[in-house]
Amino acid sequence: MAPKISTLRSIILLLLALMLSLVTNIQSKPSKQNAFEFINNVKGCHKGQNVSGLHHLKQYLENFGYLHNDDVVHRNHKHDNNVVANNHANNDVFDDALESAVKSYQRNFHLEVTGTLDSATVKQMTMPRCGIPDVINNNNTKKSTSSDKKVYKNRKLINFVSHYSFFQGNPRWQKSRLTYRFRSSASAAPGMENVRSACASAFQKWARVSHFTFEEVSSSSQADIEIGFHGGNHGDNYPFDGFGGTLAHAFAPSRGWLHFDADESWSVNPGRNQVDLESVAVHEIGHVLGLGHEPNIPNAIMYPTFSYGATKRDLHEDDVRGIRALYGLN
Ligand code: TQI
Ligand code: CA
Ligand code: ZN
Ligand code: ZN
């Protein structure tokens, strides 16, 4: 009898121990479940602040291609050349580079581009995601050389390096004579003649600096590039969002789809709340040809923000270098 009781007691003890370890396991899980939980601690942060934990966020944005140490080092050059490489990435300062990275992140995820860690941005960042960077920047393969131009900007000397980026795997067109056609499921408000000439002009910007030629063909012909105005859900898994938010989108080579959100107020001569069709066309054609975003040069066509009422129709030197590098034209 006695041995049985002691056996029972030890079984109960064992069970208790097991339950205890289960409970502690359950309790320790939530912190492990979300690897990006730390982002919640820096919610609400904006430029100029110094908040403990921000360096984790910088690491996150760097891992996913939004922040580049290379840029940062050059940006820190200012007047002296003895800046320690990388000092930026290890501190908790919400600086210009971080703000610009947050903005490009927000643009990429179709969030309001505020540059601050608002709740929508934090929510998106803490969501599970794949580990492949969103923005592929070739900076890490390009080291600055003495031939890099030095420019003065806001009275600070910065080394001018190329910042253009490509899509994952550098997809590109295998031919140089590309045709395009118009086919829309919604109406093109500025009128087809205006749309035609704005797009023709946008294509010419790229043709002038590359080996490409672009020729419009009739809507019933086969074409490499298809341009259209569409509203909401339009069958490509990237539904438009009505007025505001996303203006247009395009797909990497060699898909050739370039879609304008029909619910935007498009114009070839934009007023305050209108969007300049040609400016956006130049940008989207950049994507069609294989260029990604360039978050550090506001005057570049591939810069990931654009404003209502503005026009930005001409390629920047960095856009030109980007297309020429992608197609080996240098
Ligand atoms: N449309 C985004 C864009 O074309 C869609 C997008 C986000 C995208 N990330 C991408 C497309 C990466 C290809 C590759 O950038 S948008 C601008 C800009 C948009 C944005 O509506 O946000 C322009 C459309 F960059 F200037 F702000 C046109 Cl010009
Ligand atoms: Ca929209
Ligand atoms: Zn689409
Ligand atoms: Zn873009």
Side-chain angles (χ1 to χ4, degrees):
M1 215 47 179
K4 259 195 183 164
I5 290 172
S6 82
T7 313
L8 208 85
R9 192 184 283 152
S10 49
I11 287 175
I12 288 172
L13 271 171
L14 215 106
L15 275 172
L16 269 171
L18 222 124
M19 274 164 70
L20 210 89
S21 85
L22 266 175
V23 167
T24 45
N25 237 325
I26 287 165
Q27 277 173 342
S28 67
K29 245 190 179 157
S31 60
K32 285 219 162 164
Q33 224 163 29
N34 191 339
F36 306 137
E37 187 66 28
F38 65 87
I39 293 167
N40 277 316
N41 302 331
V42 291
K43 201 169 183 168
C45 289
H46 53 79
K47 194 162 84 182
Q49 288 186 316
N50 188 333
V51 178
S52 141
L54 272 180
H55 66 280
H56 286 304
L57 178 74
K58 291 182 182 182
Q59 192 60 56
Y60 176 97
L61 288 167
E62 204 180 297
N63 286 348
F64 295 122
Y66 293 92
L67 191 59
H68 308 285
N69 269 328
D70 247 36
D71 307 349
V72 167
V73 173
H74 293 301
R75 279 167 160 236
N76 283 344
H77 265 294
K78 294 181 187 166
H79 299 287
D80 70 83
N81 292 312
N82 302 322
V83 173
V84 182
N86 246 354
N87 63 355
H88 154 104
N90 304 324
N91 66 31
D92 285 326
V93 179
F94 203 124
D95 52 13
D96 282 335
L98 180 56
E99 187 190 53
S100 135
V102 169
K103 281 184 177 170
S104 86
Y105 180 91
Q106 290 167 329
R107 177 62 69 186
N108 211 26
F109 284 95
H110 302 236
L111 301 163
E112 196 190 338
V113 181
T114 58
T116 67
L117 292 167
D118 50 59
S119 54
T121 306
V122 167
K123 191 174 166 211
Q124 178 70 52
M125 283 178 168
T126 50
M127 262 157 66
R129 53 155 298 150
C130 90
I132 297 168
D134 300 325
V135 186
I136 309 304
N137 199 295
N138 65 340
N139 271 340
N140 39 4
T141 57
K142 248 196 166 168
K143 288 278 162 277
S144 100
T145 66
S146 54
S147 66
D148 283 336
K149 286 183 197 116
K150 290 188 172 162
V151 293
Y152 277 94
K153 200 174 173 188
N154 302 328
R155 309 216 328 267
K156 288 172 188 165
L157 177 67
I158 55 172
N159 273 347
F160 196 84
V161 293
S162 298
H163 293 289
Y164 49 79
S165 70
F166 308 136
F167 291 100
Q168 176 94 39
N170 297 356
R172 46 194 165 162
W173 291 91
Q174 302 298 329
K175 53 184 174 180
S176 56
R177 299 181 50 176
L178 300 178
T179 55
Y180 64 94
R181 69 174 179 187
F182 292 96
R183 215 169 60 160
S184 301
S185 64
S187 84
M192 264 329 283
E193 272 327 297
N194 283 330
V195 171
R196 244 188 206 100
S197 67
C199 289
S201 170
F203 276 120
Q204 280 322 298
K205 304 280 162 81
W206 292 104
R208 234 174 271 145
V209 300
S210 68
H211 62 312
F212 286 112
T213 62
F214 303 97
E215 187 202 340
E216 189 191 336
V217 296
S218 83
S219 328
S220 53
S221 309
Q222 267 281 25
D224 300 305
I225 299 167
E226 182 170 298
I227 303 171
F229 286 76
H230 306 281
N233 234 310
H234 54 282
D236 61 8
N237 283 326
Y238 295 91
F240 280 130
D241 51 6
F243 181 83
T246 301
L247 306 171
H249 56 218
F251 293 72
S254 326
R255 184 65 80 57
W257 291 348
L258 195 173
H259 299 160
F260 293 102
D261 186 343
D263 294 321
E264 300 295 336
S265 175
W266 295 104
S267 173
V268 291
N269 184 13
R272 271 171 38 78
N273 293 314
Q274 295 184 304
V275 189
D276 185 51
L277 186 68
E278 182 173 337
S279 301
V280 173
V282 178
H283 178 96
E284 298 303 332
I285 292 167
H287 287 318
V288 166
L289 297 178
L291 294 183
H293 283 152
E294 196 321 88
N296 293 298
I297 301 176
N299 289 330
I301 283 288
M302 299 318 292
Y303 185 72
T305 17
F306 188 64
S307 316
Y308 286 93
T311 53
K312 181 161 80 178
R313 301 174 176 175
D314 294 320
L315 299 183
H316 182 275
E317 199 185 335
D318 189 76
D319 301 309
V320 177
R321 272 201 291 254
I323 194 77
R324 300 191 65 83
L326 180 57
Y327 290 95
L329 302 173
N330 291 304

